Amino acid sequence: MPELVVTALLAPSRLTLKLLRAFMWSLVFSAALAAAAVYGCVALTHVLCRPRRGCCGRRRRVAPACLSDPSLGEHGFLTLRSSGLRLHYVSAGRGNGPLMLFLHGFPENWFSWRYQLWEFQSRFHVVAVDLRGYGPSDAPQEVDCYTTDLLMADIQDVILGLGYSKCILVAHDWGALLAWNFSVYYPSLVERMVVVSGAPMSVYQDYSLRHIGQLFRSNYMFLFQLPWLPEKLLSMSDFQILKTTFTHRKTGIPHLTPNELEAFLYNFSQPNGLTGPLNYYRNLFRNFPLEPQELATPTLLLWGEKDNYFELGLVGAIGSRFVPGRLEAHILPGAGHWIPQSNPQEMHQYMWAFLQDLLD
């Protein structure tokens, strides 16, 4: 068929897709402006209630001692083959078993896996990375440096760079989103997955379009589409919005000590420390609309009954995309979003049972 005819036949579909994307972006930026107004009021209230802190975040000069706790493992850097970037990681148990690779979420870092590093280093080589943009890892400032394709290439380079051909991938929140995609596009590198509080982006997209309440729970992701303003709002009153996220009585991390809180705030307080992590969100809508993906990697899915950011209905939506028999899902009663830190013992029990056959 002549190329001109093919182009003419495809023109209506391409025009429809362009119009759909234009409409989507108009909605996203309308929501972003509304979210900015709300979070702006919240940030201003924090400043007025704590005027001595001022409008800016205080830069931390010294890292808290818990970030160098030797019982958690050895610190290292890995230069990625694809990009040349250096990623920071903490490693323990090399030679004790298969690679167990941990991917953190926002606003976290490798330290969010401290309980799992202690628990599993006796039978696995446990490695918790600081994803690009986080902590001591390299943090390019351009939004285009944080596309899903580049972030998946980072994970591939970490696995191969550590000398392995496959791993057990353990992921939470943003790390979970990356892990789902990685298991689809690099299935040979993932032997098992443990996913906590995070849905595949295509599942999240379809579910949110049918359940508007989920979009309200994720209102912050619209704010993060804007340039520079989210960094400013999150840092006001010495990062009070982030502090509240971590320590809120109902939705935060229970029993988080001041030293542990500083372990998360330390890197965000450095110059441009928030820009890299927020650039993940600025790429979220780049490929809308997404096609459904079939999920086949054997996966343990853990979800908090009282997760403030994701509805329980997402668990069923994820299950509907799975090859039968490949998903083991558990909803933890009373648990919130931060299961690796708030409910480590329950998480460990499910993980040991799920991975037992690999150790026999």
Side-chain angles (χ1 to χ4, degrees):
M1 187 178 293
E3 183 177 347
L4 185 61
V5 175
V6 173
T7 302
L9 291 173
L10 291 176
S13 297
R14 289 172 175 168
L15 178 60
T16 300
L17 185 58
K18 288 182 179 180
L19 291 174
L20 178 62
R21 285 180 173 166
F23 178 67
M24 181 273 295
W25 278 111
S26 67
L27 292 179
V28 167
F29 280 107
S30 297
L33 294 175
V38 172
Y39 280 91
C41 291
V42 171
L44 183 60
T45 300
H46 288 317
V47 171
L48 294 175
C49 291
R50 303 169 182 85
R52 296 182 64 180
R53 292 185 183 177
C55 293
C56 299
R58 172 178 59 86
R59 181 179 179 182
R60 276 70 173 162
R61 299 291 179 178
V62 179
C66 58
L67 286 179
S68 55
D69 182 349
S71 69
L72 291 172
E74 298 180 352
H75 294 252
F77 286 87
L78 186 67
T79 300
L80 304 180
R81 184 172 59 87
S82 301
S83 64
L85 297 178
R86 291 204 323 155
L87 295 193
H88 169 256
Y89 66 90
V90 175
S91 167
R94 177 177 282 277
N96 291 346
L99 173 64
M100 182 180 286
L101 181 63
F102 296 92
L103 307 178
H104 63 79
F106 175 84
E108 299 174 281
N109 56 34
W110 73 267
F111 186 71
S112 60
W113 298 111
R114 58 196 178 280
Y115 296 111
Q116 290 70 44
L117 291 173
W118 279 319
E119 178 73 14
F120 293 101
Q121 63 180 268
S122 63
R123 300 297 301 275
F124 296 90
H125 178 200
V126 292
V127 176
V129 298
D130 276 322
L131 297 170
R132 74 161 67 187
Y134 285 84
S137 293
D138 285 347
Q141 296 296 294
E142 297 80 8
V143 174
D144 288 346
C145 290
Y146 295 85
T147 63
T148 302
D149 289 344
L150 292 177
L151 297 170
M152 286 194 296
D154 288 355
I155 300 170
Q156 178 191 33
D157 288 347
V158 168
I159 296 169
L160 300 179
L162 290 170
Y164 292 88
S165 60
K166 58 184 176 181
C167 74
I168 297 150
L169 201 54
V170 186
H172 173 249
D173 189 77
W174 244 106
L177 187 154
L178 297 177
W180 288 119
N181 259 29
F182 189 78
S183 70
V184 171
Y185 292 103
Y186 299 88
S188 64
L189 295 180
V190 186
E191 188 169 13
R192 300 279 177 90
M193 277 209 309
V194 179
V195 173
V196 188
S197 308
M201 196 58 208
S202 61
V203 173
Y204 179 89
Q205 167 196 275
D206 295 346
Y207 182 89
S208 298
L209 292 175
R210 301 193 307 272
H211 301 84
I212 194 68
Q214 178 56 58
L215 291 177
F216 282 100
R217 288 185 182 227
S218 305
N219 57 75
Y220 55 88
M221 73 178 184
F222 295 107
L223 169 69
F224 296 165
Q225 301 307 307
L226 301 174
W228 68 263
L229 181 61
E231 285 92 329
K232 179 63 177 176
L233 295 179
L234 292 183
S235 64
M236 288 175 69
S237 191
D238 196 31
F239 303 95
Q240 185 57 45
I241 289 178
L242 291 181
K243 288 179 179 178
T244 302
T245 299
F246 286 120
T247 63
H248 191 276
R249 184 173 59 87
K250 292 184 177 180
T251 60
I253 303 170
H255 313 300
L256 190 72
T257 68
N259 201 36
E260 290 170 339
L261 174 62
E262 286 299 312
F264 296 115
L265 296 180
Y266 170 73
N267 290 301
F268 292 135
S269 76
Q270 306 308 307
N272 301 313
L274 282 165
T275 298
L278 293 178
N279 281 343
Y280 283 64
Y281 290 92
R282 291 169 178 142
N283 279 286
L284 265 180
F285 299 101
R286 175 184 290 254
N287 297 317
F288 179 89
L290 297 169
E291 293 294 324
Q293 297 169 318
E294 183 179 66
L295 306 171
T297 300
T299 300
L300 171 65
L301 175 63
L302 301 178
W303 209 270
E305 178 192 25
K306 296 184 178 180
D307 193 313
N308 194 52
Y309 303 101
F310 297 118
E311 292 185 355
L312 280 176
L314 279 165
V315 176
I318 294 169
S320 68
R321 299 284 179 85
F322 255 92
V323 171
R326 299 292 180 88
L327 176 67
E328 178 185 331
H330 298 278
I331 296 173
L332 277 59
H337 182 68
W338 315 97
I339 289 172
Q341 299 180 72
S342 64
N343 299 75
Q345 292 183 343
E346 293 173 80
M347 177 176 175
H348 299 163
Q349 289 174 0
Y350 284 121
M351 286 181 64
W352 281 120
F354 179 66
L355 300 172
Q356 187 58 51
D357 63 301
L358 298 181
L359 301 173
D360 291 339

